[in-house]
Every structure is written in C-alpha cells, then in structure tokens.
Amino acid sequence: MSQKIGIARAHTNIALIKYWGKRDKQLFLPMNSSLSLTLDAFYTDTKVIFDSDLTADEFYLNGILQDSKEILKISRFLDLFCEYIGERTFARVESLNFVPTAAGLASSASAFAALTLATATALGLNLSREELSTLARRGSGSSTRSLFGGFVEWDMGTGSADSMAHPIDDADWDIGMIVLAVNTGQKKIASREGMDHTVATSPFYQAWVDTAKEDLQVIKQAIADRDFEQVGQITEHNGMKMHATTLSANPPFTYWSADSVLAQEAVRQVREESGLSAYMTMDAGPNVKVLCRASQMAELVDGLSQYLPKEKIITSLPGPAAYVLTDEDWQGSQQVFEERS
Ligand code: 2P0
C-alpha cells in the first residue's frame, strides 16, 4: 500500500467585479476579467489521500459519502492533476465546509481551491500559485480567485494557460464585509446555467462585457489609491449591472427574492441615516453582501439589525491565501466541525 496525502484550507471570495459568462464552457474561460475580496469567515478544509489500494475515487463532504454524480465531478478534476505526473491512482477526498448554513453562500470557490492545493501537495506538483489557479478554474470559475487572499484579480487571459488569478492588494486597510443572509433555501437556477442563458439571450450582455472591462480598470486604480468610496461605488454598480442581464435574458429570471429587496432597502436606509460607507453586491442567490469599513462594521450591524434579525447578519474581515494544513490541523478542524454541527 502506498499513500500520498495533501491537506489544505481555502477561503471563499465575493466578487466586486463579477465573472458572469464563459467564452469557453469546457475550459472555463470567462468573457471578462473579474476582481474579488477573499473572506476570512468562510472556508473549506480538504484532505486528499491517493491510495494504491483504492479501486475507485471516494468523496466525503462534511462526513457524508457523496453520490456518483458528485464523485464523477471530483474524479474528472483529479484527472487534470494526474495528467501532470502521468499516473492515476484513486483518491479518497474528504472536505469540511466552514460556511455557516445561515450564510447561504455558495462554497464552490473555496471547495475547488482547497481541493487544488491539497491535490497538488499530495502529488508534489511543482507549480506556482498562479498555475494552480488555472487548475482550480477548471473546477469552478470563482475558485480561480480563492488561491489568493485580499483583493484578487482573475485575468481572463488569452487561453487556458494564462486565464489565472493574481493577488492585487492584501486589503489590510480597514476593509470588511457584512453578509445579510436573507434566504438560505436552495437556489433555483445554478449560476452555471444562469450565466449561459444570459450570454445566449440577453441583448444587454455585450454592454455588460464592455462596461465590466472599464469597471475593472477603475476599481484597480481605486484600490491602488485606497479610495474606499470609489471601490464601493464601482462594486455596487457592477453588481447591479450583472443582475440587469438576468432580467433582460429571455425568458427573464432573477436571483433576488422579496427579502433581498427589503435587505437592499435596509442598507440604503442605514447608510443615509448614519452617513457610514456601505456598498451592496449580490451573486447568484438572494443574499446581500455589504462592502464596508471594518472599523464601522459593529455600528452598521446595529443599524441593520433594526430591519433584519441579528442572526441573519454575519460579518467578515478579508481572508488569507489558501494554505497547506498539517495532519494535526486537520484533526483540530474535524473537532471544530463536530462541535459546530
Ligand atoms: C462571481 N459568480 O464572480 C460570480 C458572480 C456568481 C455571480 O462565479 O460555472 O460557481 O462553476 O464557473 O464560479 C458563480 O459561478 O460558476 C460565480 P462556474 P461559479 O463570483
């Protein structure tokens, strides 16, 4: 019996300039470059054990053996790595998701980034973080950005080899994010289907691509200047434009629920009354995320709790790049997971 083991943690990220649409669905090449903030509050820990005694891949998520469809996704992803070493041993993959159920955040970003780093570690692949991000991309687009911490750009690139993420800034300048977890039910339209349908049918889609390019340039300059208001304004506008493409798809759809609109209104009210900086963004689900100053987070939570139950308001600071865990870390992680569930 021979075993190769790798364990890693990756944090999730929220896009400020969204990835919305693929120019190549097979290779996960995006229509536009995007930019995100990695969050410390939400992460995935993953252990990969390549074991010569296994006769098939296995995938356990939060301690539960997954069905053949989920295992196939993991198997295809592991194949990409095994191509590098020209040898395919089956693996047992164990993942623990530390995304509070109440947050209702998609975990594919942290999941595939953690799986990427754990697999590369197990196989001893000598690849840079940027190169690893091109592999993570093949699992789920947004995971490309979760290899890095702080503000991260995913450059759309010219092809598979250079469609990769780069760290832009560590976001260590009074940045925070509040998640308004208004509705945690299963989303009706997966982001993958939602973006494909939008690309195919929305007459506004080209305007999205064109203006997202401009937004990216402006936000990168604003981050370099540490101009928080500019970062926030571009974030809010870019997110709304993304959602406008779903309303203009045919047939139209939206990720917003009635509670999303109420949460948006709460943010507008609180920022007007308090004069604090708070800028909204939304993804392929009903929750509202608020980019804010870390130092003003407590005051904003107080204001928002007049409109929303406190347990639906979750705060986060910027998170770090993905990193390798030891076996001792993994045991600690399992213990924390059990205590939480
Ligand atoms: C983003 N989203 O930039 C955008 C904004 C949702 C809205 O990336 O098909 O799960 O696996 O590449 O990464 C969600 O889409 O889609 C996403 P796939 P993914 O964060």
Side-chain angles (χ1 to χ4, degrees):
M1 167 178 130
S2 84
Q3 285 193 337
K4 290 176 183 163
I5 301 176
I7 316 172
R9 173 172 297 176
H11 291 254
T12 195
N13 71 79
I14 300 296
L16 309 184
I17 305 299
K18 307 295 186 188
Y19 146 55
W20 194 243
K22 295 179 181 72
R23 64 184 197 275
D24 184 324
K25 292 183 208 170
Q26 215 68 39
L27 293 171
F28 290 74
L29 296 176
M31 286 286 203
N32 63 283
S33 299
S34 55
L35 186 141
S36 60
L37 177 66
T38 301
L39 300 183
D40 78 336
F42 314 109
Y43 57 90
T44 302
D45 288 350
T46 295
K47 182 175 189 174
V48 178
I49 308 162
F50 286 94
D51 186 333
S52 59
D53 284 352
L54 286 175
T55 52
D57 293 322
E58 297 173 1
F59 174 40
Y60 292 81
L61 176 59
N62 298 336
I64 299 163
L65 180 63
Q66 300 297 290
D67 62 25
S68 53
K69 194 174 149 217
E70 290 305 309
I71 294 173
L72 188 63
K73 273 190 217 164
I74 300 291
S75 292
R76 293 219 170 112
F77 190 66
L78 294 178
D79 288 345
L80 298 173
F81 292 74
C82 292
E83 280 169 18
Y84 270 91
I85 56 167
E87 177 193 310
R88 180 66 159 98
T89 313
F90 292 114
R92 176 186 169 99
V93 175
E94 295 174 41
S95 267
L96 296 173
N97 251 339
F98 292 85
V99 179
T101 26
L105 293 174
S107 53
S108 69
S110 54
F112 279 101
L115 180 58
T116 296
L117 186 56
T119 306
T121 304
L123 299 177
L125 297 184
N126 189 19
L127 296 173
S128 69
R129 277 298 163 115
E130 276 86 356
E131 286 169 318
L132 287 179
S133 79
T134 67
L135 288 167
R137 194 194 76 229
R138 307 279 295 274
S140 186
S142 51
S143 71
T144 313
R145 301 180 305 239
S146 271
L147 263 305
F148 296 101
F151 291 115
V152 182
E153 178 185 3
W154 170 15
D155 185 341
M156 64 187 283
T158 58
S160 192
D162 65 353
S163 183
M164 56 173 54
H166 311 279
I168 292 289
D169 180 287
D170 61 11
D172 190 17
W173 42 283
D174 198 15
I175 303 289
M177 191 164 267
I178 301 172
V179 177
L180 304 177
V182 296
N183 192 325
T184 57
Q186 195 74 12
K187 63 183 164 195
K188 291 190 190 77
I189 303 161
S191 46
R192 199 162 293 181
E193 278 72 57
M195 67 174 84
D196 289 352
H197 177 62
T198 305
V199 172
T201 64
S202 170
F204 295 174
Y205 189 74
Q206 192 54 45
W208 155 258
V209 173
D210 294 343
T211 64
K213 276 186 187 135
E214 291 160 22
D215 291 349
L216 182 73
Q217 294 318 314
V218 177
I219 205 168
K220 280 169 72 175
Q221 187 58 51
I223 290 169
D225 296 342
R226 300 199 164 187
D227 181 345
F228 181 78
E229 304 307 319
Q230 177 79 298
V231 171
Q233 281 162 21
I234 295 285
T235 295
E236 190 162 306
H237 188 207
N238 184 271
M240 292 292 173
K241 285 190 288 187
M242 181 204 113
H243 288 276
T245 68
T246 73
L247 291 175
S248 56
N250 191 13
F253 69 105
T254 183
Y255 289 106
W256 298 7
S257 67
D259 287 336
S260 314
V261 180
L262 291 174
Q264 289 180 16
E265 205 44 50
V267 175
R268 287 189 194 98
Q269 289 280 348
V270 171
R271 75 178 167 200
E272 250 176 64
E273 286 160 13
S274 66
L276 299 176
S277 300
Y279 296 96
M280 294 173 263
T281 189
M282 288 181 65
D283 295 291
N287 296 331
V288 175
K289 292 104 185 189
V290 184
L291 183 70
C292 62
R293 291 296 203 178
S295 58
Q296 296 177 350
M297 213 144 51
E299 207 178 327
L300 279 168
V301 170
D302 270 354
L304 290 165
S305 61
Q306 293 169 44
Y307 301 90
L308 287 152
K310 245 195 170 135
E311 66 272 12
K312 290 191 177 271
I313 307 175
I314 302 161
T315 60
S316 181
L317 292 171
Y323 55 95
V324 172
L325 298 177
T326 63
D327 207 48
E328 204 180 336
D329 294 332
W330 175 253
Q331 281 162 27
S333 195
Q334 283 179 311
Q335 208 170 334
V336 172
F337 187 84
E338 276 159 27
E339 281 162 15
R340 281 198 194 178
S341 1

